[in-house]
Amino acid sequence: MDKVIIAQNLSLSYKEFETIISRATFSIDAGSFVFITGASGSGKSTLLKSFYGAIEPKQGQLSVGGVNMNRISTSKLNFLRRHIGIVFQDYKLIKEWTIEKNVMLPLIISGYTSDVSGSQVQKLLGHVKLIHQAGKYPLELSGGEQQRVAMARALAHNPILILADEPTGNLDEYSSSVIWSLLEGANSQLKTTVVVVTHHIPEGLNVPYIHYHIDAGNINEIA
Amino acid sequence: MKSLKNHISLIIALFTVLASVQIYVAVDRTIAAYETRLKDDYSVIVVANKAFTAEEFKSMSSMIERSEPISTMQVLDRLKGEMSQKNLDLLRLTLPKFYRIYLNRYPSPKEINSLQHLLQRNPSVERVEGFAQTHDTIYKLMLLFKNVVQVFSVAIAAVTSLLILKEMRLWQFQHAERMSIMALFGAPVWLRSAVLFRLAIVDAIIATIILCLAFFVIDYYGFLIAQLKAIGISVQLFNFVNDALRSLGIALGISVALTFMIVIFPNEED
């Protein structure tokens, strides 16, 4: 099976003498659903950041989608990010843009025509039950609705990999269920690899998943 | 409101640069028109002991446009009552020939000197009067005025460019969140910074329109043109096609180039 993420002796740190992830070796298969858990400050969000190039490996090797993340060039990183969908705990929506345009962002970046991106956005807003809010601005929506918009944005360009950082951390039950069902759908129907960083793995998931736990900088697979 | 304030800051800065450039252009045009007027009025007087044709003078220097003899009849007429006709005829024959030489452009003091030397090299030319001193003073005053305006324009352009750069850094800071979100989804630098370029282009167009309106008002009320006409200068201070296009080009050039600068060399604090 193809590997989407390969880490070999990967160490991550923000400061010179403070290692957050230490010599981790693991791989994530294409089409798999992966949870990364750990205590607060254990480095799970840092690890996720390294997958989309927000932090460079301090030591070891990291490959995402076949792209070597060590000293990656800006153009290569942009290319990789155009094939990744990211969901953040704080949503990261552009507040000056409408919901519709926010969802369209990855399609604009990838250069899709307005016809294609328009119909794709309508479809996704329908999936996240926000079609009637398309013309509104992010700050006019609740937190749960904003995260559903962020989820629709992450799926807009049919990415090969979805990275989600605490996607349901502050959400109500309904919004959480919409988010999980979308992630499940992307994984089971589109075979998109999904990596979720979370404190708690939700119960009743309908897809098989792999669970990594971070403890004291080490990454262990939980059987 | 804050955004409007930022727009106004950039528009005023761009307008100042454009106005200083246009003032320099207008001064240059005014001086050129004044030079033409001076050229038409200016002539070199040549005293020769033989008759010269216009062609002979022209062959001496490419600066010489035309020449005309100065009649001595007026002087001789005044002596008519005091001298006999025979002596007057004798005097007419012995009097040197006077010529007024017109040039094809307004000469610099150096050019006048070299023309004087050139003419005096001819053995038949006895004296050349270039009225260098009067001419020199006017010319130096004109050059001084032109240089002062030029230095003033360059200084204004430099200072306002720095202000524009500061303003754009502020814009970059205001739009940093949007740009960083776009970067997370792989937007190239030009797409991330499109908002800055759009703002820069819009403000450049607005600044140019305000400049055109300002010069339209000056042109419409005509007080400056009337003052220039009073000293015999007829000049167009602002050409609503060429000058407007040049101003738009300058405004777009400055704003887009400075946007490029802040995009390519982002502030280390960002």
Side-chain angles (χ1 to χ4, degrees):
Chain A
M1 191 174 265
D2 288 341
K3 307 284 185 194
V4 172
I5 296 172
I6 303 168
Q8 284 179 323
N9 295 317
L10 175 70
S11 294
L12 299 172
S13 73
Y14 289 108
K15 292 175 190 167
E16 188 69 25
F17 303 106
E18 192 183 63
T19 304
I20 295 166
I21 300 291
S22 176
R23 300 178 69 81
T25 298
F26 63 91
S27 62
I28 294 174
D29 291 334
S32 58
F33 200 113
V34 177
F35 282 104
I36 299 171
T37 59
S40 294
S42 59
K44 47 190 193 302
S45 291
T46 305
L47 182 64
L48 201 79
K49 280 182 182 174
S50 73
F51 296 162
Y52 59 85
I55 177 171
E56 256 196 67
K58 184 189 173 193
Q59 277 181 341
Q61 294 293 314
L62 177 65
S63 160
V64 178
V67 177
N68 186 355
M69 302 301 281
N70 298 65
R71 289 185 205 88
I72 187 171
S73 68
T74 310
S75 58
K76 264 190 182 172
L77 184 61
N78 285 339
F79 175 79
L80 176 69
R81 284 177 175 179
R82 287 200 283 273
H83 295 87
I84 297 177
I86 316 172
V87 184
F88 303 90
Q89 192 177 5
D90 60 352
Y91 328 126
K92 294 207 188 298
L93 298 175
I94 297 174
K95 56 180 182 289
E96 300 89 353
W97 286 9
T98 61
I99 299 311
E100 190 175 24
K101 198 171 176 189
N102 265 288
V103 177
M104 211 180 271
L105 175 66
L107 301 168
I108 294 170
I109 292 168
S110 298
Y112 284 92
T113 61
S114 54
D115 288 355
V116 174
S117 49
S119 62
Q120 173 78 337
V121 168
Q122 292 302 310
K123 194 176 84 184
L124 284 162
L125 285 176
H127 286 167
V128 294
K129 318 279 189 282
L130 287 171
I131 194 90
H132 56 291
Q133 312 268 43
K136 287 191 175 175
Y137 290 87
L139 296 181
E140 295 177 79
L141 305 185
S142 69
E145 287 171 327
Q146 287 189 55
Q147 190 61 306
R148 276 144 62 194
V149 174
M151 191 66 228
R153 180 182 61 183
L155 294 169
H157 51 308
N158 296 325
I160 56 159
L161 173 66
I162 293 177
L163 302 172
D165 189 1
E166 301 273 12
T168 57
N170 308 316
L171 303 190
D172 56 275
E173 208 174 307
Y174 174 71
S175 292
S176 295
S177 70
V178 171
I179 300 291
W180 289 122
S181 90
L182 282 168
L183 288 172
E184 279 179 333
N187 180 250
S188 59
Q189 290 161 30
L190 304 171
K191 304 294 171 212
T192 307
T193 310
V194 178
V195 179
V196 181
V197 161
T198 185
H199 279 292
H200 302 290
I201 298 173
E203 288 174 9
L205 273 183
N206 298 317
V207 289
Y209 62 85
I210 296 158
H211 179 194
Y212 286 105
H213 185 76
I214 302 178
D215 186 28
N218 299 309
I219 301 173
N220 304 301
E221 188 176 342
I222 311 286
Chain B
M1 192 65 196
K2 205 174 169 187
S3 165
L4 185 71
K5 210 173 122 189
N6 290 337
H7 273 282
I8 288 170
S9 307
L10 184 71
I11 290 167
I12 290 173
L14 278 172
F15 172 77
T16 311
V17 175
L18 296 183
S20 65
V21 169
Q22 192 55 40
I23 287 168
Y24 173 72
V25 169
V27 165
D28 196 45
R29 269 185 207 150
T30 308
I31 288 171
Y34 192 57
E35 275 182 359
T36 310
R37 215 199 102 195
L38 282 180
K39 184 211 88 176
D40 292 342
D41 293 347
Y42 179 76
S43 58
V44 175
I45 303 298
V46 174
V47 183
N49 56 25
K50 74 157 205 147
F52 277 94
T53 63
E55 292 309 312
E56 280 174 312
F57 276 124
K58 273 189 178 178
S59 67
M60 287 183 197
S61 167
S62 59
M63 271 181 79
I64 297 171
E65 189 179 69
R66 63 193 166 90
S67 62
E68 59 185 40
I70 300 169
S71 171
T72 52
M73 286 308 289
Q74 212 179 347
V75 181
L76 293 173
D77 282 350
R78 242 188 280 155
L79 298 171
K80 254 183 186 171
E82 296 165 27
M83 294 175 85
S84 66
Q85 189 58 42
K86 193 180 170 187
N87 284 342
L88 276 172
D89 290 342
L90 194 65
L91 188 61
R92 187 181 297 127
L93 286 172
T94 52
L95 261 180
K97 314 284 181 246
F98 295 90
Y99 294 94
R100 196 184 293 277
I101 289 177
Y102 292 95
L103 306 179
N104 54 16
R105 64 187 147 90
Y106 189 59
S108 67
K110 204 175 159 189
E111 283 174 328
I112 293 177
N113 270 339
S114 62
L115 181 68
Q116 273 182 295
H117 284 122
L118 195 74
L119 291 169
Q120 276 170 339
R121 236 184 276 159
N122 189 308
S124 305
V125 173
E126 287 179 356
R127 191 158 174 207
V128 179
E129 183 51 75
F131 304 101
Q133 204 167 354
T134 322
H135 163 270
D136 200 33
T137 310
I138 296 168
Y139 196 76
K140 276 181 178 164
L141 265 173
M142 277 168 48
L143 285 181
L144 179 71
F145 185 53
K146 196 171 164 177
N147 289 342
V148 166
V149 172
Q150 193 173 19
V151 169
F152 189 63
S153 301
V154 170
I156 284 180
V159 171
T160 44
S161 292
L162 287 174
L163 285 175
I164 293 170
L165 206 62
K166 279 268 173 205
E167 195 57 48
M168 284 176 167
R169 286 242 181 262
L170 202 68
W171 281 4
Q172 195 184 29
F173 178 72
Q174 280 174 349
H175 295 282
E177 192 188 358
R178 176 198 298 206
M179 288 162 78
S180 71
I181 293 170
M182 292 177 87
L184 288 170
F185 285 87
V189 174
W190 63 266
L191 187 60
R192 263 180 261 166
S193 314
V195 60
L196 301 181
F197 284 107
R198 195 163 46 241
L199 288 169
I201 289 168
V202 167
D203 286 3
I205 292 169
I206 294 172
T208 309
I209 291 169
I210 294 173
L211 182 87
C212 290
L213 287 174
F215 273 90
F216 174 76
V217 170
I218 291 169
D219 205 43
Y220 182 79
Y221 288 104
F223 49 90
L224 214 61
I225 290 168
Q227 281 181 343
L228 289 170
K229 271 191 180 152
I231 54 167
I233 297 170
S234 178
V235 69
Q236 191 178 22
L237 294 175
F238 191 83
N239 180 311
F240 284 90
V241 179
N242 293 341
D243 290 350
L245 284 176
R246 192 200 41 245
S247 298
L248 181 64
I250 291 171
L252 286 174
I254 290 174
S255 55
V256 170
L258 293 177
T259 311
F260 258 118
M261 265 183 73
I262 61 158
V263 167
I264 293 168
F265 307 109
N267 204 339
E268 282 179 13
E269 292 159 23
D270 293 347

